[in-house]
Amino acid sequence: MNFDLTSEQQMIQKTIREFANEEVAKGAIERDRTKEFPKHIFEQLGDLGMMGLPFPEEYGGGGADTISFAIVTEELSRACGSTGITYSAHISLGGAPIHLFGTEEQKQKYLNPICTGESLGAFGLTEPNAGSDAGGTKTTAVEDGEDFIINGSKCFITNASYAKHLALTAVTGMKEGKKEITAIIVPTDADGFTVIDNYEKMGLHASNTTELVMDHVRVPQENILGKKGNGFQQFLITLDGGRIGIGAMSVGIAQAAYEKALQYAKERHQFGQSLSKFQAIQFKLADMAMKIELARNMVYKAAWLKDQGKPFSKEASMCKLYASEICMEITNQAVQIHGGYGYMKEYQVERYMRDAKLVEIGEGTSEVQRMVIARAIGC
């Protein structure tokens, strides 16, 4: 399959690459140190029309495709992994469920501010005892007249501190002995809704990762996203799209690490010649280049299938699994090529390595991806 980018995709790539190089990359080291969320960057992305890129224009979006979303996520992640994951989650976890399952009224009310960047997108799924086993959800939404009363907690939720509303999953009853899980749109300023931002993370320090606590939060039943009881299936579909985003993020971080390693290998001299003249280093760099190219093509294929309305769940899992694992491998090798300098923050590759670990975990661990793929091939 030939992934020649269209003129529109090339323009988006050129625009976002210049922006990432000039605006995003320059503060990445300092943001990693201070853990400051780059709010100004997302305001600028809103001005560029990137915050609603793949959503319809009637809701304030850009009317672009999933490949364009993948391009933007990759380029932002190449400059700063924290910025990349924030953008990916904003689109694929925040905006996508409302676009896919929301009523016209819900789209006008909730998708529009996401597209304009007025609100960052977030999605409340993971709980302390329900990560990969999302069916273990314990948050409850009990009917009370025309409202729901929501109680429970969510953990590891991206962007919630900057979201005015988010869709979250809750148990709304039992059906045939199984939990009936429903997605509900909840304003983050609702009484009893608390966002806690105090995680100490290994990497992605400038991204917003939060805990949500719901204590008798009242929302109208009209805030159900899609149909009651369809929440489980909805978030599986949502995660398929999100995995394309994590795949693109993985490619971006790996690309950054590869570029730093290649540059260092050319400039660093040992035993009378540059490191890049040693076959051991050449082979490492050749493998990096090859694996990044493969990963990028896998991301583009999954995105293309999604845009064509074709089944893409298997390909999304494949691209996420492969891209995330080669990202971890490449960032590790980039540190190794730098030797002692790779361990030092100013050379940046240690940050790439710390940031990379999350892509093997988020949106379904590597183990979960292998389960999805195994089922898809008929095991």
Side-chain angles (χ1 to χ4, degrees):
M1 189 175 291
N2 185 6
F3 287 110
D4 288 333
L5 299 181
T6 65
S7 57
E8 182 182 356
Q9 290 164 350
Q10 289 174 2
M11 182 185 71
I12 290 170
Q13 186 179 57
K14 181 177 184 293
T15 301
I16 199 66
R17 182 170 291 172
E18 290 174 356
F19 175 78
N21 289 339
E22 294 169 11
E23 300 296 333
V24 182
K26 65 183 180 184
I29 294 176
E30 184 65 9
R31 290 193 300 272
D32 178 64
R33 187 181 69 80
T34 63
K35 304 178 183 178
E36 180 184 356
F37 183 80
K39 197 166 183 289
H40 66 287
I41 287 174
F42 292 96
E43 291 171 353
Q44 291 173 285
L45 285 168
D47 293 339
L48 288 171
M50 297 293 175
M51 295 301 277
L53 187 66
F55 301 122
E57 294 177 6
E58 58 260 40
Y59 307 116
D65 57 11
T66 311
I67 291 178
S68 297
F69 157 67
I71 288 168
V72 174
T73 302
E74 177 187 335
E75 294 297 334
L76 292 175
S77 302
R78 186 174 63 87
C80 170
S82 293
T83 304
I85 195 171
T86 302
Y87 181 79
S88 181
H90 167 79
I91 297 286
S92 63
L93 298 183
I98 297 170
H99 175 235
L100 288 169
F101 311 115
T103 63
E104 181 62 29
E105 184 180 356
Q106 287 172 338
K107 291 177 188 178
Q108 293 289 352
K109 187 175 181 179
Y110 299 114
L111 183 57
N112 194 281
I114 286 175
C115 289
T116 60
E118 181 185 341
S119 172
L120 281 187
F123 184 59
L125 172 62
T126 303
E127 297 187 6
N129 293 303
S132 297
D133 177 20
T137 298
K138 292 185 177 178
T139 296
T140 59
V142 178
E143 291 185 29
D144 183 46
E146 295 185 353
D147 298 333
F148 280 121
I149 306 296
I150 303 174
N151 285 283
S153 65
K154 301 288 180 177
C155 61
F156 311 143
I157 307 304
T158 304
N159 295 346
S161 296
Y162 301 91
K164 295 190 174 182
H165 51 78
L166 52 80
L168 57 80
T169 52
V171 179
T172 49
M174 298 294 289
K175 196 170 185 179
E176 298 176 2
K178 293 184 178 180
K179 291 178 180 177
E180 177 187 72
I181 297 176
T182 302
I184 305 169
I185 301 170
V186 182
T188 55
D189 63 355
D191 290 342
F193 193 104
T194 306
V195 180
I196 303 169
D197 177 14
N198 62 4
Y199 285 122
E200 290 287 336
K201 298 181 294 184
M202 174 181 175
L204 299 169
H205 288 160
S207 68
N208 176 240
T209 311
T210 66
E211 182 181 359
L212 312 180
V213 178
M214 285 75 68
D215 183 10
H216 292 83
V217 175
R218 180 180 291 272
V219 297
Q221 289 193 38
E222 67 185 31
N223 281 28
I224 286 178
L225 185 61
K227 293 182 180 178
K228 186 181 178 186
N230 281 8
F232 192 88
Q233 189 60 34
Q234 287 170 3
F235 69 64
L236 289 180
I237 294 169
T238 298
L239 290 175
D240 281 342
R243 284 163 185 162
I244 295 173
I246 295 294
M249 178 186 167
S250 303
V251 172
I253 295 173
Q255 181 72 36
Y258 161 71
E259 289 172 1
K260 289 288 186 188
L262 179 61
Q263 178 186 7
Y264 182 83
K266 289 179 176 179
E267 294 174 355
R268 173 74 165 170
H269 281 72
Q270 293 282 273
F271 305 105
Q273 61 182 0
S274 68
L275 290 183
S276 62
K277 297 300 181 184
F278 291 94
Q279 192 175 69
I281 303 299
Q282 290 175 348
F283 282 9
K284 286 182 188 291
L285 291 165
D287 282 346
M288 288 180 180
M290 176 184 67
K291 289 173 181 178
I292 291 169
E293 186 71 15
L294 285 169
R296 182 179 291 115
N297 274 276
M298 292 176 78
V299 170
Y300 284 2
K301 180 181 180 181
W304 180 84
L305 288 169
K306 183 175 185 288
D307 289 332
Q308 299 302 310
K310 298 175 183 290
F312 69 97
S313 179
K314 171 170 66 77
E315 287 77 10
S317 278
M318 284 181 168
C319 85
K320 191 273 183 187
L321 174 61
Y322 182 74
S324 65
E325 293 196 341
I326 67 104
C327 179
M328 194 67 224
E329 176 190 335
I330 286 169
T331 55
N332 182 32
Q333 289 296 337
V335 172
Q336 190 71 17
I337 288 171
H338 278 73
Y341 291 108
Y343 210 66
M344 304 300 153
K345 288 186 181 294
E346 66 181 290
Y347 283 79
Q348 303 201 58
V349 287
E350 63 83 34
R351 184 180 91 244
Y352 302 149
M353 186 177 175
R354 285 187 287 107
D355 289 352
K357 186 58 197 174
L358 189 276
V359 297
E360 291 187 311
I361 299 170
E363 304 273 357
T365 62
S366 293
E367 292 75 19
V368 166
Q369 303 312 319
R370 288 183 166 88
M371 287 166 52
V372 172
I373 296 164
R375 288 173 188 159
I377 63 176
C379 290

